[in-house]
Amino acid sequence: MNKKGLALFLRARVRPPPPLPPNQGRYPDSLPSQSRPLPNSNMDPSLSNQHRANNISPSVMLKDVKDWMHASMSILAHKIEPVDTNLENFLQGYLGLAQEDRRELILVLARDYDVNRTRVRDLMQQYLSLEPPHALNDGQSSGPEEEGILSAFYRTERNLRDAIKPMYALFFERLNAYPGGLKLLVVLRADLLAILAKENIPSLRALDSFLKEKLITWLSPASLGLHHITWDDSASLLEKIVAYEAVHPIKNLLDLKRRLGVGRRCFGYMHPAIYGEPLIFIEVALLKDVAVSIQDVLWDEPPTPECEASCALFYSITSTQPGLAGINLGKFLIKRVIELIRREMPHITTFATLSPIPGFMQWLLSKLASQLKLGKIETEDASTLSHIGSGSVFQENILLPEEEKMIVNSSVGYAVGNSGLEIMKNLLASTNNEWTKSDCLLKALKSPLVRLCARYLLKERKRGKALDPVANFHLQNGAMIERINWMADQSEKGLRQSAGLMVNYVYRSDHIEEYAELFINEGHIHASPELQQYVNDN
């Protein structure tokens, strides 16, 4: 066993990561990233040596950091090349601030360095006072007088464009051009998102909107390099893969080597300004067929010979930076990887995923609870429970009659309840997952769970988008829903999030753009006929 490899694994695994900001999700487009910050890293490790070289204390004073920021802003306002010392001190000083001090500094940045609206109003009034040349309105060529009036228009319009920008705009641009500045801005936005999750302040929303737009520009696909991550990469890079992997945590050194070895691929998007750290990475398994169980993917031994593979299965995609939430790098990464694999391995013809369904159980338990409450109201005056088994007392027929009967008959000794609906809720809400140990209960629950999951994926929406964040991610990227897989993830997390269900999304190369456009513009979801049948029958 490679000693370097063992050391990197131990460093990444033995120290628990710090807590994440609230509302962190898995997939980079739908929710903020659920990546794990590197252990013991209140400040960016790529900047720590620079930090020590400048002798800035890890616990700097907030007043000093504000002064450095103000000094940089003042210099920029006078169109003078800023002194690098101010930017350097601000960059390292911010990373040394406690979280509450960062919050106060961000509030100052958003409030005190916003758009100068007094100047904007003055310029607008000046602009409205200008009279357009009559010659231009009549379609005639302009003379010297008209050209002079046009010059006044152009000058005022230029001044308006400059004035409408917030004062922090040039500061961000200067930071982006400074070594370590782009990573600092990503960290700052992560802090900003954590604040916004608790405090919905308009100036903070405006700051986030502006910074997000700038990051989208600075992190365009043209500026990112696709890197094939292998066991031969540096220990520091592999350590980050272990630490950041959040969809299916890497259990040990053998697991890491397997994910980077024969029959597997791992690709990451790298940016030259954030050295040695992938912004997002994707793990791929080369298989004969589309996998139906994550256990088969993670513990495929021996792996499928690559020359016999016909399917590239994307089984994990992780955004490593919470500050890039809402910036869909995953869309471009998936497309790049598909193009690369098609070019290098033309015998691979199917591109699919084996994806979690993180919101399914929460939605289902809420649905069951609401229907039980409604049923209780409707039957509270009844003298008998003569309707048990039919589900007819409920506003929605969550269970079909045969499903109700099977659940009631199979639950003896496992759960109690006055109906199949109540029994189902009690079974799924239990923490011991005893139902997974009974063949009868597994058989009884399979049909309703798969059917309800199809409804959840195909019909449930929020603001026009798919309710499930992972579904929304793949659908807006141009995938279709192919198949729901029973007991595909039997881990504790898989059972808790989705009753062990996983879903295959398929990317059909000739239809990616078409499917994406239809989903984004019309909300139309492409699904296999088998899945569509579940919702057509109800």
Side-chain angles (χ1 to χ4, degrees):
M1 183 179 292
N2 187 305
K3 290 184 178 180
K4 181 185 76 172
L6 180 59
L8 76 90
F9 188 81
L10 290 176
R11 284 199 306 271
R13 295 294 291 177
V14 299
R15 294 172 292 183
L20 295 171
N23 298 328
Q24 300 298 285
R26 280 196 188 83
Y27 278 66
D29 69 318
S30 51
L31 295 173
S33 155
Q34 196 189 22
S35 60
R36 307 181 211 179
L38 288 178
N40 296 343
S41 63
N42 190 35
M43 52 183 144
D44 177 12
S46 67
L47 303 174
S48 56
N49 291 335
Q50 214 172 7
H51 184 103
R52 288 191 294 268
N54 289 337
N55 296 317
I56 297 177
S57 166
S59 299
V60 297
M61 299 295 292
L62 174 60
K63 180 181 181 303
D64 293 334
V65 183
K66 286 182 180 178
D67 288 344
W68 293 322
M69 180 175 70
H70 180 72
S72 292
M73 296 274 196
S74 299
I75 294 171
L76 286 166
H78 291 89
K79 308 293 185 182
I80 302 172
E81 184 67 16
V83 179
D84 286 348
T85 303
N86 288 323
L87 284 174
E88 173 65 20
N89 287 343
F90 171 81
L91 189 150
Q92 301 300 338
Y94 182 87
L95 295 172
L97 288 176
Q99 209 62 41
E100 183 56 33
D101 287 342
R102 292 188 183 186
R103 172 187 172 278
E104 183 174 340
L105 186 136
I106 289 173
L107 286 170
V108 169
L109 183 65
R111 182 183 60 244
D112 297 349
Y113 298 96
D114 198 358
V115 174
N116 185 340
R117 292 179 176 83
T118 300
R119 175 164 168 73
V120 172
R121 289 188 63 180
D122 290 342
L123 286 168
M124 289 176 66
Q125 290 174 357
Q126 180 181 334
Y127 189 79
L128 291 172
S129 69
L130 296 174
E131 188 69 28
H134 295 293
L136 291 184
N137 294 339
D138 298 335
Q140 302 173 14
S141 60
S142 58
E145 183 179 350
E146 286 80 6
E147 289 295 340
I149 297 175
L150 283 174
S151 295
F153 270 98
Y154 295 146
R155 182 170 59 254
T156 308
E157 288 162 356
R158 182 180 65 249
N159 291 337
L160 263 173
R161 283 195 298 271
D162 291 339
I164 206 72
K165 291 181 181 178
M167 287 177 275
Y168 46 68
L170 288 176
F171 180 62
F172 286 165
E173 290 173 6
R174 180 62 182 174
L175 267 175
N176 176 58
Y178 191 80
L182 179 59
K183 181 61 185 289
L184 183 279
L185 290 170
V186 173
V187 173
L188 189 147
R189 183 166 183 258
D191 295 335
L192 173 58
L193 289 172
I195 299 168
L196 278 170
K198 301 176 182 178
E199 306 175 64
N200 191 15
I201 300 174
S203 61
L204 291 182
R205 292 202 308 269
L207 174 62
D208 175 58
S209 177
F210 181 86
L211 184 52
K212 179 182 176 181
E213 288 180 8
K214 301 303 292 186
L215 289 172
I216 289 173
T217 300
W218 294 330
L219 296 173
S220 67
S223 68
L224 300 173
L226 183 66
H227 179 64
H228 179 192
I229 300 167
T230 71
W231 183 251
D232 293 328
D233 275 303
S234 67
S236 62
L237 176 58
L238 298 186
E239 178 185 355
K240 290 179 174 68
I241 297 300
V242 175
Y244 283 137
E245 168 56 53
V247 182
H248 302 294
I250 298 172
K251 299 181 181 298
N252 50 44
L253 192 62
L254 181 62
D255 188 11
L256 175 63
K257 293 189 74 171
R258 181 183 289 111
R259 297 192 194 199
L260 302 177
V262 177
R264 299 292 182 269
R265 296 290 189 273
C266 182
F267 297 97
Y269 258 154
M270 314 286 282
H271 192 282
I274 306 178
Y275 178 76
E277 183 166 358
L279 302 181
I280 183 173
F281 62 91
I282 189 169
E283 296 173 71
V284 187
L286 305 178
L287 307 170
K288 289 184 178 179
D289 301 297
V290 179
V292 300
S293 164
I294 193 59
Q295 286 78 23
D296 293 341
V297 175
L298 296 179
W299 303 108
D300 180 22
E301 187 64 35
T304 301
E306 293 189 2
C307 61
E308 298 179 10
S310 63
C311 171
L313 186 89
F314 308 131
Y315 64 93
S316 177
I317 181 166
T318 301
S319 176
T320 67
Q321 309 297 319
L324 298 183
I327 299 175
N328 193 356
L329 299 180
K331 171 183 179 180
F332 302 107
L333 178 60
I334 288 175
K335 289 183 178 181
R336 283 280 299 276
V337 170
I338 289 176
E339 291 171 2
L340 179 65
I341 292 177
R342 287 182 68 188
R343 185 169 64 249
E344 295 184 352
M345 308 180 75
H347 55 283
I348 300 289
T349 56
T350 301
F351 297 90
T353 80
L354 184 60
S355 298
I357 316 169
F360 174 56
M361 188 65 84
Q362 181 181 2
W363 170 83
L364 178 59
L365 290 176
S366 175
K367 178 67 68 176
L368 294 175
S370 65
Q371 291 302 304
L372 283 169
K373 183 177 180 180
L374 179 61
K376 183 177 180 181
I377 293 173
E378 291 182 354
T379 59
E380 61 184 1
D381 295 329
S383 57
T384 65
L385 296 175
S386 58
H387 291 297
I388 289 178
S390 67
S392 60
V393 297
F394 302 114
Q395 189 176 40
E396 290 187 70
N397 293 322
I398 297 295
L399 295 178
L400 301 177
E402 58 271 23
E403 294 171 345
E404 170 92 14
K405 182 177 180 180
M406 284 188 68
I407 290 173
V408 171
N409 293 340
S410 303
S411 64
V412 178
Y414 287 95
V416 296
N418 293 322
S419 67
L421 207 61
E422 186 175 2
I423 292 170
M424 183 178 181
K425 177 181 178 295
N426 292 336
L427 286 170
L428 296 177
S430 66
T431 57
N432 56 20
N433 296 313
E434 282 292 320
W435 62 276
T436 63
K437 302 171 185 177
S438 165
D439 290 339
C440 289
L441 276 175
L442 286 171
K443 184 177 180 181
L445 290 172
K446 180 178 180 180
S447 173
L449 283 176
V450 172
R451 179 173 53 79
L452 290 168
C453 186
R455 167 184 166 178
Y456 171 70
L457 293 173
L458 296 176
K459 293 296 184 181
E460 298 298 322
R461 305 297 177 92
K462 182 179 182 180
R463 300 190 185 96
K465 297 182 178 181
L467 185 59
D468 187 77
V470 177
N472 194 65
F473 171 76
H474 288 296
L475 292 171
Q476 72 177 1
N477 292 343
M480 65 168 292
I481 308 179
E482 180 69 22
R483 179 175 62 198
I484 295 172
N485 300 302
W486 175 247
M487 286 291 105
D489 184 357
Q490 299 180 43
S491 68
E492 181 180 349
K493 182 172 69 173
L495 293 171
R496 182 180 68 253
Q497 290 185 339
S498 60
L501 297 174
M502 297 188 78
V503 58
N504 296 125
Y505 299 95
V506 173
Y507 285 85
R508 305 197 185 282
S509 301
D510 296 338
H511 297 286
I512 289 177
E513 297 300 332
E514 174 194 352
Y515 289 177
E517 184 176 347
L518 285 171
F519 176 70
I520 293 171
N521 295 335
E522 302 177 19
H524 180 74
I525 294 176
H526 285 83
S528 65
E530 293 78 12
L531 267 189
Q532 198 67 49
Q533 191 65 35
Y534 281 113
V535 295
N536 290 342
D537 289 343
N538 293 285

